Amino acid sequence: RRRLFPSSLETLLTVHTTFLESVKLKVENWDAKSIIGDIILELCPYFNLYPPYLAEYNVQTQLLKEIKNTMPDFRDFLQKSF
């Protein structure tokens, strides 16, 4: 059975959100001694989630296209949501 969304997607979204918010906070308070390396190092443990996600990306994208073509209600939902 193929999955439309990988199990790691929610975690990856959280990692990206955390990274974005942390960088925004740094930029707002930027000074001559500021760095972002500490943020990257904090998130390093999650980097191992990317290879499996990327390996399945094309398959997941194709599956999404198939579902959109065969399920008009789902296609309509996506169009309204985005």
Side-chain angles (χ1 to χ4, degrees):
R1 180 174 174 220
R2 297 187 303 178
R3 293 179 58 121
L4 178 56
F5 302 109
S7 57
S8 64
L9 189 60
E10 188 172 348
T11 303
L12 286 171
L13 177 60
T14 301
V15 169
H16 282 269
T17 302
T18 300
F19 179 74
L20 179 60
E21 293 305 316
S22 297
V23 169
K24 281 181 180 179
L25 186 61
K26 286 267 187 172
V27 169
E28 289 172 4
N29 299 295
W30 197 262
D31 64 24
K33 295 180 182 180
S34 293
I35 59 171
I36 62 166
D38 58 326
I39 299 170
I40 294 169
L41 288 174
E42 181 182 323
L43 299 175
C44 270
Y46 299 98
F47 289 178
N48 64 342
L49 297 174
Y50 287 95
Y53 172 77
L54 294 172
E56 291 295 318
Y57 180 79
N58 288 336
V59 172
Q60 293 161 349
T61 302
Q62 183 59 38
L63 181 58
L64 180 59
K65 287 178 186 177
E66 291 172 18
I67 292 171
K68 285 170 40 177
N69 289 335
T70 58
M71 298 178 69
D73 289 342
F74 183 67
R75 182 182 58 241
D76 293 344
F77 166 76
L78 290 176
Q79 287 174 343
K80 291 175 185 173
S81 298
F82 299 100

